[in-house]
Amino acid sequence: MAYLALAVVCIVWGTTYFALLIGVKTFPPFIFSGIRQFVAGILLFIFLLATGKLGRLSRRDLVRGAIPGILMITLGNGVIGWSERYIPSGLAALIVSVTPVYIVVINYITGTDRKKPNIHVITGLLLGSLGVILIFRDNIKDIARPDYFAGMIVVFAACLAWAFGSIYAKYKPLHTGVLTSAAIQMTSGGLALLLTGLFVDDLSELKTVSRESVLSLLYLIVFGSLLTYSCFVYALKKLPVGLVSIYTYINPFIALLLGFFLLDEKLTWITALALLTTLSGVYFINHGYRKKT
């Protein structure tokens, strides 16, 4: 079941970059992501309550669940919606594929995994770093545009927040059940996004929201959040955190192809090389984790 959940994450989250870009074209980005996550979290709470699986929640549970929610949902996933107003969806997915490199470094620095990195992990880190260099090299002309550059930097920062949230959720799990953890994280993260949107977004855009943006929002609520985030939390609980990051192999391929064929986003040989280099780094990192285990 854990591997099946991980397969859902690998496939569905690859499509969410495309859906997110369509959604934020006419919808205020923070409000859009906030509605997506908050509604999905509330629906999951209702399901758990109706089936008698919610259990009793303490204030401590809510606080501990909100921390990875803020890190992964608000600062991780949520701000990517804003960045996709300025950079291609495929580029956002390509940058996110660097996340396993962050996870390895944070694990070591924070002491959650202080074992000496083997040659496979070191090779993976070097390849991942090379991938980052190639990403900047491929977008050197566009970086001169402040909005484009800011969009890229924000996605790199979002990866860092997601990595911290993943590690926290892995090593400080709630004892309330996987779906309850997912509900707390989505609801808290979505609420934080909605509050952010009230101060940051241009709320006048809500008057001109397109039908496509609404359909994208519904898709992301049901499939991108309610289904897939629950699968992610389940896989994170049952499998090694380094192994769960394997979804970064598949997501950028799907996102880049959808962007290329449906949105006319550019796909250069440097982009392909950056993707190959980064994913090779992820492979070596995961292989190194399995060797250490």
Side-chain angles (χ1 to χ4, degrees):
M1 290 298 296
Y3 283 104
L4 179 60
L6 184 56
V8 172
V9 174
C10 289
I11 296 171
V12 176
W13 268 354
T15 68
T16 58
Y17 294 92
F18 171 79
L20 187 57
L21 186 144
I22 298 299
V24 300
K25 279 186 176 181
T26 63
F27 212 119
F30 288 102
I31 297 293
F32 180 90
S33 294
I35 293 174
R36 166 194 172 183
Q37 304 290 2
F38 185 76
V39 171
I42 294 298
L43 289 175
L44 188 52
F45 268 125
I46 293 173
F47 168 77
L48 292 169
L49 187 62
T51 56
K53 297 180 179 180
L54 180 59
R56 185 175 296 177
L57 294 174
S58 65
R59 182 182 299 178
R60 181 171 178 269
D61 292 329
L62 295 176
V63 172
R64 287 187 64 176
I67 292 174
I70 299 297
L71 288 170
M72 292 193 289
I73 297 296
T74 307
L75 301 177
N77 181 267
V79 299
I80 291 178
W82 176 86
S83 71
E84 286 198 24
R85 282 197 160 187
Y86 307 106
I87 65 173
S89 61
L91 174 60
L94 180 57
I95 295 174
V96 170
S97 67
V98 182
T99 301
V101 176
Y102 286 144
I103 290 176
V104 172
V105 174
I106 294 171
N107 266 332
Y108 187 80
I109 292 175
T110 59
T112 53
D113 185 357
R114 277 289 177 89
K115 295 178 181 178
K116 185 178 179 180
N118 57 39
I119 187 63
H120 301 286
V121 174
I122 294 173
T123 301
L125 290 172
L126 292 175
L127 287 171
S129 300
L130 178 58
V132 172
I133 294 172
L134 289 171
I135 289 171
F136 277 101
R137 168 65 181 82
D138 193 33
N139 296 272
I140 193 69
K141 294 180 180 179
D142 296 310
I143 287 177
R145 291 157 37 201
D147 288 344
Y148 194 98
F149 181 72
M152 290 183 64
I153 295 301
V154 164
V155 178
F156 276 109
C159 294
L160 187 62
W162 185 276
F164 272 112
S166 298
I167 293 170
Y168 184 92
K170 176 65 179 178
Y171 294 105
K172 293 185 178 295
L174 297 182
H175 302 291
T176 55
V178 174
L179 293 181
T180 302
S181 297
I184 295 172
Q185 290 172 22
M186 286 190 288
T187 305
S188 58
L191 181 60
L193 282 168
L194 288 173
L195 293 175
T196 302
L198 292 177
F199 295 97
V200 176
D201 282 336
D202 180 3
L203 300 183
S204 64
E205 294 180 345
L206 292 171
K207 300 177 182 178
T208 58
V209 173
S210 68
R211 178 174 174 270
E212 289 77 12
S213 290
V214 174
L215 291 175
S216 296
L217 179 60
L218 293 175
Y219 173 81
L220 289 169
I221 288 173
V222 176
F223 295 100
S225 294
L226 191 59
L227 172 66
T228 312
Y229 193 73
S230 299
C231 289
F232 173 75
V233 173
Y234 180 79
L236 194 62
K237 182 175 181 179
K238 298 294 184 180
L239 300 172
V241 64
L243 179 59
V244 173
S245 64
I246 197 173
Y247 69 87
T248 55
Y249 287 122
I250 311 300
N251 288 174
F253 276 111
I254 296 175
L256 283 168
L257 289 175
L258 287 176
F260 178 74
F261 287 110
L262 300 181
L263 299 173
D264 293 325
E265 294 179 354
K266 68 176 183 177
L267 185 59
T268 67
W269 69 270
I270 298 181
T271 301
L273 183 60
L275 178 62
L276 180 62
T277 303
T278 302
L279 296 189
S280 296
V282 175
Y283 168 78
F284 277 104
I285 288 172
N286 283 328
H287 185 64
Y289 267 114
R290 288 194 294 271
K291 284 282 188 182
K292 287 166 68 177
T293 303

